[in-house]
Amino acid sequence: MPLFPALSCPTVQLSNALEIPILGLGTSHNGGYSHDAVVYALTECGIRHLDTAKRYGCEEKLSEAIKESGLLRRDLWLTNKLWPGDYGYKAAKKACLDSCTAMGVEYFDLYLMHWPESLKVGSSNREIRAETWRALEDLYKEGVCHAIGVSNFLVRHLEQLNEDCNVVPHVNQVEYHPFQQPNRLMEYCQKDGIVFEGYSPLAKGQVLSDPVVQQIAKKHRRTAAQICIRWSIQNGVVTIPKSIKKNRIQENCQVSNETFFFFQPFKCLCTEERYWLDVPGIM
């Protein structure tokens, strides 16, 4: 099968110097899973960054899609997440290795604690987080995880982790879109060298009907989805929209094209588009 060249999009450097593609494809147990859509994203759209989790129940299916794509492991960025039911030192290490086996890989580029709260009983959430994070630190040292991070952590969770452990998370993955912008959390992550990654850039579809977003999309002759994904990327946020429809995936990937507005992905918005930040309700 002929392979489409890798998507031409910026990368963001982690504190350990690894480069994560700023645009990826998210997966989820909500809305189902499409094997054909993932293969299409990899072979026809040039996607090289896939985000999943044990909780989503599609690790084996992703493994099959990757094999069918013909891509080499080294050409992909794979992120997986540890479910709170597997928190604790021994359980976390076992769950990570089991996920590697399920996906047919020897390592993950990024491995995240999925939530700050634990499902374990008998210890405080803080104690369980610290114990679990030490397992991720060891997986990182052993090379099973090339980078480690957290998901849905607030400032207080990051502060506690910083006090209790040795390795600062490389990434914090949080819901991020025009209607939800946790600025204080983003500032904290930036200060600590934690890359901010955003999921649900379309607010589960809610932004698509917003009149301001539609107005901007009409002006630029783009879709509302493209406007929001591009906005997220240009704020320097690693962005992982998800879709099981081929046309939507192709549409989303077009936001990295240099002809899309302008190409200054690590600035909020250029002067021409500054009004976006000044519209009530967006910020």
Side-chain angles (χ1 to χ4, degrees):
M1 176 184 298
L3 296 178
F4 191 87
L7 183 66
S8 177
C9 73
T11 58
V12 176
Q13 188 176 81
L14 306 185
S15 60
N16 63 357
L18 290 183
E19 301 276 346
I20 180 172
I22 202 168
L23 179 66
L25 177 66
T27 59
S28 175
H29 57 293
N30 292 324
Y33 174 85
S34 171
H35 173 85
D36 290 343
V38 174
V39 174
Y40 177 79
L42 294 172
T43 59
E44 301 296 330
C45 299
I47 283 288
R48 295 294 181 266
H49 173 181
L50 297 176
D51 179 279
T52 192
K54 177 182 177 179
R55 176 67 171 174
Y56 303 159
C58 59
E59 292 173 321
E60 290 86 354
K61 296 175 183 178
L62 274 174
S63 175
E64 294 172 5
I66 292 169
K67 289 177 182 177
E68 185 172 328
S69 76
L71 289 168
L72 298 176
R73 173 65 185 92
R74 64 173 179 265
D75 294 328
L76 287 172
W77 180 283
L78 299 181
T79 296
N80 206 329
K81 308 181 196 74
L82 175 72
W83 186 243
D86 293 317
Y87 284 5
Y89 185 86
K90 290 183 179 179
K93 292 197 74 173
K94 181 179 185 303
C96 180
L97 294 173
D98 287 347
S99 287
C100 282
T101 299
M103 291 193 68
V105 298
E106 295 182 352
Y107 67 93
F108 290 120
D109 297 278
L110 177 62
Y111 196 59
L112 309 175
M113 291 179 62
H114 207 146
W115 289 93
E117 291 78 19
S118 169
L119 298 179
K120 301 285 186 178
V121 296
S123 300
S124 69
N125 280 326
R126 178 171 182 170
E127 291 173 328
I128 293 295
R129 280 196 298 269
E131 180 186 343
T132 303
W133 187 251
R134 283 192 285 273
L136 265 65
E137 288 181 332
D138 285 349
L139 288 165
Y140 175 55
K141 294 174 185 175
E142 295 162 8
V144 179
C145 306
H146 288 186
I148 52 177
V150 295
S151 182
N152 301 299
F153 274 45
L154 303 178
V155 171
R156 67 177 183 274
H157 303 131
L158 294 172
E159 289 176 335
Q160 291 174 355
L161 203 62
N162 191 40
E163 293 174 2
D164 298 338
C165 303
N166 297 314
V167 179
V168 175
H170 298 112
V171 171
N172 186 17
Q173 186 185 110
V174 178
E175 183 173 350
Y176 181 79
H177 47 74
F179 302 156
Q180 181 161 315
Q181 301 179 52
N183 294 323
R184 178 170 175 262
L185 178 61
M186 294 180 74
E187 291 170 0
Y188 180 90
C189 288
Q190 184 178 25
K191 176 180 66 70
D192 252 27
I194 302 170
V195 166
F196 193 88
E197 183 173 20
Y199 65 83
S200 295
L202 307 182
K204 299 178 176 64
Q206 295 179 50
V207 297
L208 303 181
S209 59
D210 181 83
V212 174
V213 175
Q214 290 181 340
Q215 177 186 1
I216 296 170
K218 182 178 180 180
K219 174 186 175 181
H220 293 285
R221 290 181 291 182
R222 299 289 177 172
T223 67
Q226 287 176 327
I227 293 295
C228 291
I229 294 170
R230 180 68 183 194
W231 171 82
S232 179
I233 288 175
Q234 290 191 183
N235 281 330
V237 175
V238 177
T239 305
I240 46 171
K242 63 185 179 186
S243 180
I244 59 172
K245 297 181 179 179
K246 294 180 181 180
N247 63 318
R248 296 295 187 190
I249 293 173
Q250 183 184 52
E251 174 187 312
N252 294 344
C253 290
Q254 291 172 351
V255 302
S256 287
N257 192 307
E258 293 189 17
T259 62
F260 189 105
F261 302 169
F262 39 81
F263 201 61
Q264 294 177 309
F266 300 111
K267 296 181 180 179
C268 286
L269 290 171
C270 74
T271 303
E272 179 187 351
E273 303 299 323
R274 189 67 188 181
Y275 72 92
W276 172 279
L277 301 179
D278 299 330
V279 175
I282 290 294
M283 294 300 289

